[in-house]
Amino acid sequence: MNPTADRPHMPGYGILAPDAGTGLLPWSWALERIAAARNFWVATVTPEGGPHAMPVWAVWDDDALWFSTSVRSRKARNLAHDPRVVITTEDALDPVVIEGRAEVITDSAAIARFLGLSNAKYNVDYQLDFLDPAVNATIVVRPERAFGLLQSDFSGSPTRWMFSD
């Protein structure tokens, strides 16, 4: 995955040119923060058009962010209605924000891989039946856009990464 980087449009914030300040952040910077994050915020849209945000555990694998949720949860029902989603790391000072579309995964090998990665990251020992697709949805979000910035260089670090298919 090799997204293109540029400055996001942030009128009124005094954002510097792409070659000023820290400059554009490399995608590797974002991947380090995604890997280190314990918790992520998932923002979805209700069928009535209202916002909904909840924290989840997630892992990065195969150029995508993976998480699970009960199929009866509000976020799962929201994503079934509208797969557009925003996921952010828990760090508001040096954040990574991912925009994409959620896809429910039912392939048992992919679910087993996600479960192994999640068990290792969070030091838990969930068994495969925990992610039974009839009970818990395994969701993958491939980024379409992502954003990041350094609090220490707010005007010279904001970066937007664009992903192509």
Side-chain angles (χ1 to χ4, degrees):
M1 172 175 293
N2 212 5
T4 59
D6 65 2
R7 279 283 191 250
H9 182 63
M10 297 171 62
Y13 285 95
I15 302 304
L16 302 175
D19 58 352
T22 303
L24 296 175
L25 300 170
W27 179 238
S28 60
W29 175 91
L31 290 176
E32 289 170 7
R33 273 129 196 94
I34 291 167
R38 178 168 178 82
N39 302 300
F40 296 80
W41 286 95
V42 174
T44 61
V45 178
T46 69
E48 300 77 30
H52 180 263
M54 289 299 287
V56 298
W57 285 354
V59 298
W60 183 264
D61 185 49
D62 192 27
D63 294 334
L65 200 62
W66 296 68
F67 69 95
S68 66
T69 186
S70 167
V71 296
R72 296 178 8 202
S73 71
R74 167 55 57 198
K75 60 188 158 299
R77 290 180 289 145
N78 290 349
L79 292 170
H81 175 76
D82 184 342
R84 294 176 299 165
V85 64
V86 175
I87 303 177
T88 71
T89 55
E90 63 192 339
D91 182 358
L93 296 179
D94 297 329
V96 177
V97 179
I98 296 171
E99 296 179 357
R101 294 184 181 273
E103 176 187 353
V104 175
I105 302 299
T106 57
D107 176 73
S108 59
I111 293 171
R113 179 173 171 78
F114 162 67
L115 183 65
L117 293 169
S118 188
N119 280 343
K121 179 176 181 176
Y122 294 101
N123 196 28
V124 294
D125 189 25
Y126 295 124
Q127 302 302 305
L128 194 54
D129 63 341
F130 178 74
L131 291 180
D132 175 351
V135 178
N136 283 309
T138 298
I139 297 174
V140 62
V141 177
R142 299 194 188 288
E144 296 172 356
R145 282 173 301 285
F147 303 87
L149 61 87
L150 297 168
Q151 183 272 333
S152 63
D153 187 12
F154 181 84
S155 62
S157 68
T159 303
R160 173 181 51 204
W161 298 277
M162 298 296 291
F163 300 81
S164 58
D165 296 336

